Amino acid sequence: DVKVTQSSRYLVKRTGEKVFLECVQDMDHENMFWYRQDPGLGLRLIYFSYDVKMKEKGDIPEGYSVSREKKERFSLILESASTNQTSMYLCASSTPPGQGGDGYTFGSGTRLTVV
Amino acid sequence: GDSVTQMEGPVTLSEEACLTINCTYTATGYPSLFWYVQYPGEGLQLLLKATKADDKGSNKGFEATYRKETTSFHLEKGSVQVSDSAVYFCALSGTSYGKLTFGQGTILTVHP
C-alpha cells in the first residue's frame, strides 16, 4: 500500500529547541507539502517542494524552514520552537497537475506540543 | 488569491438524516475541487473530486457538483451513518504546482 509516513505521531519539545519533523513518501511523487492544522483555521500551507533541493514558501513560512535532499524525503524544521507553533503538522505528496493522480496523499500527522 | 469558505460547524445529526455541508470558493481560472475527510486520529483522505464545471463527484454515498455559476461545491449525503462522524474539508487546486487551498473544516457528529 502506497503511503506517506511521518516519523512521529506525538512530540513534546521545549521552547527554543530546534525541531525536525520528517516525512517520507514511496510513490515517487514530485511534489511534497507541509501544512499545519489548527481548529477553526483549516489547513495552512507552510512550505512546499516541487523537486529535489527546490522549495517554495507557502502562506505561513515564518519560523520554519525545509529540506529536500532526496525525492522521497521532505523535512520541516522549526529553528527555535515557540509555544505558538503547538499544532498538528501534516505532510502530503502529489503528482504535478496534468499528470494524473487524485490530489494529495496525506501522512497521519504529527501533533507537536511546545512547552 | 484563492480561498475556500465552508459552512460553520459543528454539525450534529441523527443516523439516517440528510446532510449538506456548504462550500463556496474564489479562484482565478478553472480550479479542480475536492472534498477530504479526516477520521479521528488520522490524516486526511480524498473523499471525492470534480475537475470541471457541472462534474459530479461521488463516493461512499456522498456527492458534490461543481457549480461554476455559483462558485460552489456543496457536499451531500441522503442518509448518514455513525461511521460518517469526521471532519470534512473542502479544497481547491489552483494551477501552481497543484497546491491545495483548504476551507476551515466542518466537524460532523452522527448519533445513533
Side-chain angles (χ1 to χ4, degrees):
Chain A
D1 192 19
V2 293
K3 61 176 61 176
V4 175
T5 303
Q6 294 184 231
S7 55
S8 303
R9 291 297 301 271
Y10 300 94
L11 278 178
V12 180
K13 296 293 182 180
R14 295 192 179 279
T15 301
E17 276 193 77
K18 190 169 186 176
V19 181
F20 294 83
L21 303 183
E22 305 290 343
C23 176
V24 177
Q25 52 99 359
D26 64 0
M27 295 165 285
D28 202 34
H29 283 169
E30 286 82 0
N31 298 344
M32 296 188 75
F33 306 84
W34 275 107
Y35 286 83
R36 62 177 285 176
Q37 179 182 4
D38 300 288
L41 298 177
L43 276 70
R44 293 179 290 167
L45 181 63
I46 304 171
Y47 267 96
F48 68 101
S49 168
Y50 54 89
D51 201 352
V52 176
K53 296 191 184 293
M54 305 301 289
K55 60 185 179 183
E56 294 285 341
K57 293 180 180 179
D59 300 319
I60 52 164
E62 296 78 18
Y64 303 94
S65 62
V66 290
S67 171
R68 193 166 182 199
E69 296 297 319
K70 294 184 178 180
K71 189 175 185 180
E72 66 270 20
R73 186 180 298 270
F74 191 37
S75 302
L76 179 69
I77 304 156
L78 286 66
E79 299 292 343
S80 177
S82 64
T83 54
N84 63 12
Q85 293 178 309
T86 292
S87 186
M88 170 71 86
Y89 290 86
L90 292 167
C91 176
S93 70
S94 74
T95 55
Q99 295 187 24
D102 286 316
Y104 288 9
T105 301
F106 279 90
S108 298
T110 296
R111 184 166 296 280
L112 173 67
T113 303
V114 182
V115 298
Chain B
D2 297 346
S3 68
V4 176
T5 302
Q6 289 180 234
M7 66 182 289
E8 294 287 333
V11 175
T12 302
L13 295 172
S14 297
E15 204 165 26
E16 299 184 1
C18 295
L19 169 71
T20 299
I21 300 177
N22 291 334
C23 172
T24 58
Y25 68 90
T26 302
T28 55
Y30 302 93
S32 294
L33 300 174
F34 303 83
W35 277 99
Y36 282 82
V37 59
Q38 184 179 35
Y39 298 104
E42 299 183 12
L44 277 69
Q45 305 173 23
L46 178 66
L47 180 60
L48 54 84
K49 71 173 184 177
T51 58
K52 61 182 186 295
D54 299 324
D55 267 2
K56 177 185 284 187
S58 62
N59 187 25
K60 299 181 180 180
F62 291 89
E63 294 183 339
T65 301
Y66 189 160
R67 301 287 188 199
K68 190 165 178 63
E69 64 276 13
T70 55
T71 62
S72 65
F73 193 54
H74 304 322
L75 182 68
E76 299 176 327
K77 188 174 186 182
S79 176
V80 295
Q81 305 300 312
V82 172
S83 57
D84 294 326
S85 298
V87 184
Y88 292 82
F89 291 92
C90 185
L92 69 83
S93 174
T95 57
S96 175
Y97 304 109
K99 287 190 300 177
L100 288 181
T101 299
F102 288 86
Q104 66 269 42
T106 301
I107 300 171
L108 170 66
T109 303
V110 180
H111 292 297

